[in-house]
Amino acid sequence: MNMYDQIERELKILVNKEQFCQMLHSYDFGKPVLQTNVYFDDDQGSVRKLGALRIRTIGEQHIFTLKIRRDSITQTELEKKIPVDSIRNIQDPEILGWLKQYGIPLTVKPFAVSQTKRYVLHLPSAELCLDETAFGAHRNYLDYEIEYEYTESHDGIEKFNRILSKIGLEYTKNAPSKLARAVSYADV
């Protein structure tokens, strides 16, 4: 049932609502998917020093994800579907092994949440995602992001810039991770 254990490379840029809508109408994205992310850590921020630990819920499906940071755009991502929405209830030996390998106790607790309406366009060597994300327990903070996620190795910055040029933008790293943004609005 392992979804994947892979390297994740992505470029992202925060935009305003008008730029987001312009990009949305420049391509055929189809219907969005609503996903809720609950982030977990201990009181010392041990997990955030490594990367991120979350459970993403899409409909009735829960996906455990552990991201280990490698550099500013690259992470090792360990991901697997699970039948529960709480770290404490996980019994899967593979996931328990990952947690043990990285020294993450089962006592980590939720500390931040985000809810994203994601539009996805599949490209030959990447996915273009438009994310409208609400942060905080009451979803009272909103931002807009365009994300270019590699599905195979190539010159992603050049291709992403061609896409962004449709709305008069050029890639500049201006988007902290959703986790970092969720932490700034944490009120779980």
Side-chain angles (χ1 to χ4, degrees), residues 18-175:
E18 181 183 322
Q19 293 164 325
F20 180 89
C21 290
Q22 232 182 322
M23 182 63 74
L24 181 61
H25 298 297
S26 295
Y27 295 94
D28 185 17
F29 281 92
K31 292 186 178 188
V33 172
L34 187 63
Q35 55 190 36
T36 300
N37 295 317
V38 178
Y39 299 94
F40 296 83
D41 207 344
D42 60 21
D43 292 336
Q44 293 75 41
S46 303
V47 177
R48 283 177 276 166
K49 291 173 188 164
L50 295 170
L53 173 58
R54 74 168 182 238
I55 293 179
R56 172 175 284 163
T57 301
I58 301 172
E60 298 298 315
Q61 182 179 61
H62 307 293
I63 304 165
F64 170 94
T65 305
L66 176 59
K67 294 185 179 191
I68 306 299
R69 191 176 312 100
R70 295 171 63 131
D71 63 41
S72 65
I73 65 168
T74 310
Q75 303 177 87
T76 297
E77 185 172 272
L78 305 168
E79 189 167 86
K80 193 170 186 180
K81 290 180 185 177
I82 56 175
V84 296
D85 64 356
S86 169
I87 296 293
R88 293 174 194 241
N89 296 332
I90 292 175
Q91 308 226 348
D92 182 284
E94 186 174 27
I95 293 175
L96 294 174
W98 295 338
L99 294 172
K100 184 177 182 182
Q101 177 183 351
Y102 291 102
I104 300 169
L106 287 173
T107 55
V108 293
K109 56 189 177 209
F111 74 94
V113 66
S114 67
Q115 189 170 61
T116 299
K117 186 188 307 180
R118 173 169 273 195
Y119 299 85
V120 179
L121 178 67
H122 299 280
L123 303 171
S125 52
E127 287 182 347
L128 183 64
C129 303
L130 299 185
D131 291 349
E132 179 182 312
T133 303
F135 297 95
H138 304 289
R139 316 289 189 267
N140 45 341
Y141 305 100
L142 190 64
D143 72 20
Y144 302 90
E145 175 182 75
I146 301 172
E147 182 178 300
Y148 184 89
E149 188 166 332
Y150 294 69
T151 55
E152 60 185 56
S153 188
H154 66 285
D155 183 0
I157 292 176
E158 187 267 328
K159 289 191 183 213
F160 192 33
N161 275 329
R162 269 195 272 146
I163 292 166
L164 291 173
S165 71
K166 279 192 163 212
I167 61 168
L169 293 176
E170 186 172 323
Y171 173 69
T172 304
K173 187 174 168 98
N174 74 345

